Amino acid sequence: MLEGWFNLFLSVFVILGGVWLAARFILREDVVYIPDGRRRHAWKSIKLLNRGCFCSICETLMSSNGVFCENCGVCSDNGCVRKADVEFRCKELRIRTRADDGRESRHLWVKGNLPLGSECCVCSEDVDQSSELGLFGQRCAWCQRSAHDKCFSEVSGSLCDFGEFRSMIFPPKCILASRSKGAPKVHLTGIIPPEWKDQWNPLIVVANSKSGSSGAAEVIAQMRGILHPLQVFELESHGPQEALQWAIHAAPATCRILVAGGDGTVGWVLNTILQMKVEPQPEVAILPLGTGNDLSRVLGWGAEGPDVFNPIDYLRKIRAAEPIKLDRWLIEIGVHHQSRFPVPRFHFRRSVFMYNYFSIGVDALVTLNFHKARESSLYLFSSRFINKALYLCFGTHQVVQQDCVDLEKKVELYMDDVKINLPELQSIVVLNIDSWGAGVKLWEMSKDSPSHGSVMREMHSISDGVLEVFGVVSSFHIAQLQVGLSKPVRLGQARNVRFKIFSTLPVQADGEPWMQTPCDMSIGHSGQATMLRKVTG
């Protein structure tokens, strides 16, 4: 008896402690720390540039050994780094005074190592360095304009207007920061919109180095060289909260956000936007670095990122992209639990947001096994090829060892409160977008198939508040779907989907899997996110 009361007391203590920690997190002040004034160069390996460069000090040609500043583009071999730090200025991150507007907007010229195809802003001819070796030509680290050495005198003293992508940049003179009394660091206090005639929609870049491919470091380095370095974030060490503080401070301007990562990273950012109540709601573009990239495929950004990342080309695509609404769905999970203690029955609830798809069964089990393998200490290499090989391995295993047979006996499905008579299945898939399992278009593939449940409309949209539900017969059926040799089982369309799960089963939401104990589960509409769809042509 005493042991039971002790366990009850311990449980209450843990719950109250969790509430206290959550309250501290919610009520704490969100502070974004920034470097104080001019900072030194941010050196990265020259390999990220995918081209040979000359040292800005001794003009030695470097193909793989050496470094470059990801902020301004100055290059150095390993022996000249200290000298380069002293001799060359880097981008100013903020300017304390706004009194002299002309002084604040001067070019930051860097000699040599111009990108291929650079055009002189004076004579409009190519700045071709292929005929001679060494440092030739000048390039502004802010506006990206280039000039021949012979033409440079005509622009060297001119003002910088931040060039083609100024509507995407946070100018240093617009960033307000202060140091609180006794605080060791300077923190962001506000952003003053620049006084430009054209519309200002600053771009915030967040990149996840843990996504399927290993291209995040290159994206970060290239983007910091064109935009303000402080508007480009890496997500490995912390979440997107700090990045979104910049969007909050930029109001009333509408920020655009480039998410370099997979579907999971995109969902992470979208959920954080919702939790932080960022207004106006940012418009989100995608650079696909994950394994499946289903949302990226639907929005026109492609199945995978480019082999060689061209930041100028991608920024132009983002600038031309059109906003589109994406339905958000709330998955509410109610788990009944009978306590051993002399207290009433508990009803535990969990909520998960879904943007792409939700599934129960064999496909979720394959995803779960993959995630366990990737989190293992034996998983040393992150690449899209290895990830797909792991998926194939676990999928093939389920062809032999079928762990999700008789799913129709373990689950009840209700669509708009109507119970659906399920055929023999090993997976049930609930779609918001028509891309699942790395590009399988279940809706498009099943247009001529009969429906086992409600009548399905001919239209499909990611913003109509309607879900499409399909069945998958086996792991081998998944393989057939991926190569177009079969069709999914149509179960119907609905605005609300409910499940009653009677045994522990694998489930996943937007590629994030877990084992779900018996529960009642409902999926309902919960607002919309704003995405950017790539304009073709």
Side-chain angles (χ1 to χ4, degrees):
M1 183 66 178
L2 290 176
E3 181 183 357
W5 281 106
F6 174 78
N7 290 334
L8 175 61
F9 173 78
L10 183 61
S11 299
V12 173
F13 179 79
V14 170
I15 292 172
L16 292 176
V19 172
W20 178 75
L21 289 174
R24 283 198 63 184
F25 176 79
I26 293 172
L27 296 176
R28 71 176 176 84
E29 181 184 4
D30 290 303
V31 177
V32 178
Y33 294 109
I34 64 175
D36 188 3
R38 178 183 178 273
R39 76 173 179 180
R40 302 177 68 182
H41 294 283
W43 300 112
K44 294 295 173 67
S45 172
I46 204 77
K47 295 178 182 178
L48 292 176
L49 293 180
N50 296 308
R51 57 187 174 90
C53 293
F54 293 92
C55 174
S56 298
I57 297 291
C58 64
E59 300 195 25
T60 301
L61 178 62
M62 304 174 295
S63 57
S64 59
N65 295 323
V67 294
F68 76 104
C69 175
E70 64 178 0
N71 295 344
C72 69
V74 167
C75 299
S76 173
D77 61 29
N78 295 328
C80 297
V81 171
R82 289 187 178 181
K83 192 173 182 180
D85 255 330
V86 174
E87 288 197 13
F88 299 110
R89 292 172 53 229
C90 193
K91 284 181 176 178
E92 287 187 275
L93 302 183
R94 68 184 182 93
I95 298 174
R96 289 185 175 87
T97 177
R98 305 179 75 247
D100 183 0
D101 196 60
R103 182 188 67 80
E104 295 166 16
S105 301
R106 296 289 179 181
H107 291 286
L108 177 59
W109 295 107
V110 178
K111 187 175 179 61
N113 296 314
L114 275 61
L116 295 176
S118 297
E119 181 181 283
C120 178
C121 64
V122 177
C123 66
S124 299
E125 295 181 0
D126 290 343
V127 185
D128 186 10
Q129 301 182 74
S130 60
S131 59
E132 299 181 72
L133 296 178
L135 297 172
F136 299 97
Q138 298 276 351
R139 179 186 61 86
C140 174
W142 282 114
C143 69
Q144 310 305 316
R145 288 186 176 89
S146 301
H148 290 109
D149 289 327
K150 63 181 181 181
C151 302
F152 179 60
S153 60
E154 297 187 35
V155 294
S156 59
S158 61
L159 302 181
C160 180
D161 62 1
F162 294 92
E164 179 182 356
F165 303 111
R166 69 176 185 171
S167 64
M168 297 182 171
I169 294 176
F170 287 98
K173 67 180 181 180
C174 296
I175 297 174
L176 303 180
S178 65
R179 190 193 306 272
S180 301
K181 187 176 181 180
K185 297 180 180 179
V186 174
H187 64 272
L188 180 69
T189 57
I191 296 173
I192 300 175
E195 298 175 355
W196 290 333
K197 293 182 180 180
D198 45 340
Q199 186 175 1
W200 186 56
N201 296 114
L203 177 70
I204 298 169
V205 180
V206 291
N208 190 354
S209 59
K210 291 185 178 180
S211 293
S213 67
S214 53
E218 180 183 355
V219 172
I220 292 169
Q222 300 266 28
M223 285 298 196
R224 282 178 177 165
I226 297 177
L227 305 173
H228 193 299
L230 295 182
Q231 66 190 94
V232 182
F233 298 83
E234 197 278 318
L235 294 181
E236 182 177 13
S237 55
H238 51 269
Q241 290 85 354
E242 182 178 344
L244 294 176
Q245 282 293 325
W246 287 77
I248 292 173
H249 282 293
T254 299
C255 287
R256 291 188 159 187
I257 298 178
L258 172 63
V259 180
D263 289 334
T265 306
V266 177
W268 187 13
V269 172
L270 294 179
N271 288 339
T272 308
I273 291 173
L274 179 66
Q275 292 163 5
M276 294 179 65
K277 300 179 180 178
V278 182
E279 291 292 343
Q281 194 175 85
E283 301 168 346
V284 180
I286 304 173
L287 174 57
L289 298 183
T291 303
N293 303 312
D294 287 294
L295 183 56
S296 175
R297 297 168 191 261
V298 170
L299 296 177
W301 298 106
E304 57 186 45
D307 294 332
V308 178
F309 178 63
N310 184 334
I312 299 293
D313 180 58
Y314 221 84
L315 287 173
R316 287 171 179 164
K317 292 176 181 177
I318 294 172
R319 187 176 57 192
E322 58 183 15
I324 184 173
K325 293 296 183 180
L326 173 69
D327 285 331
R328 180 191 302 111
W329 299 88
L330 179 63
I331 305 172
E332 293 187 291
I333 306 166
V335 181
H336 296 280
H337 173 66
Q338 184 66 47
S339 174
R340 296 180 303 160
F341 311 124
V343 291
R345 188 181 185 184
F346 288 106
H347 189 88
F348 295 99
R349 298 196 69 86
R350 178 189 178 192
S351 297
V352 179
F353 286 110
M354 182 266 286
Y355 299 89
N356 304 341
Y357 54 80
F358 171 83
S359 67
I360 302 176
V362 64
D363 66 315
L365 181 59
V366 171
T367 304
L368 180 63
N369 289 333
F370 165 73
H371 274 247
K372 288 179 178 178
R374 190 168 63 172
E375 292 170 0
S376 168
S377 59
L378 300 177
Y379 185 79
L380 302 177
F381 304 101
S382 176
S383 74
R384 188 177 287 111
F385 175 78
I386 292 177
N387 290 343
K388 289 184 176 181
L390 281 174
Y391 264 109
L392 177 62
C393 176
F394 291 124
T396 304
H397 175 73
Q398 283 303 308
V399 173
V400 180
Q401 181 178 329
Q402 300 182 0
D403 295 322
C404 296
V405 293
D406 297 329
L407 181 69
E408 71 282 357
K409 300 177 182 178
K410 304 171 184 177
V411 173
E412 286 183 359
L413 169 64
Y414 296 83
M415 301 177 63
D416 291 333
D417 297 323
V418 177
K419 184 178 178 181
I420 305 300
N421 294 321
L422 296 174
E424 292 186 3
L425 298 173
Q426 288 193 29
S427 184
I428 299 173
V429 182
V430 181
L431 285 183
N432 182 44
I433 65 173
D434 190 21
S435 184
W436 163 84
V440 180
K441 297 181 177 295
L442 297 179
W443 167 264
E444 184 176 313
M445 295 171 66
S446 66
K447 280 185 176 180
D448 300 326
S449 302
S451 176
H452 285 259
S454 61
V455 177
M456 300 185 81
R457 300 178 302 168
E458 294 300 320
M459 299 296 295
H460 166 79
S461 170
I462 64 174
S463 54
D464 61 357
V466 176
L467 294 166
E468 285 75 40
V469 187
F470 298 89
V472 178
V473 176
S474 65
S475 179
F476 184 67
H477 188 201
I478 294 176
Q480 291 178 309
L481 291 171
Q482 290 177 329
V483 295
L485 295 179
S486 185
K487 294 182 179 182
V489 179
R490 274 196 171 197
L491 297 177
Q493 288 177 308
R495 295 186 178 275
N496 180 272
V497 176
R498 290 193 299 114
F499 292 98
K500 287 186 177 182
I501 300 176
F502 303 114
S503 61
T504 300
L505 291 171
V507 301
Q508 66 166 329
D510 290 349
E512 301 298 321
W514 69 92
M515 292 300 294
Q516 180 59 57
T517 56
C519 69
D520 294 333
M521 182 182 296
S522 67
I523 306 176
H525 196 259
S526 183
Q528 294 179 315
T530 305
M531 307 300 295
L532 286 172
R533 180 166 56 189
K534 179 185 170 185
V535 176
T536 58

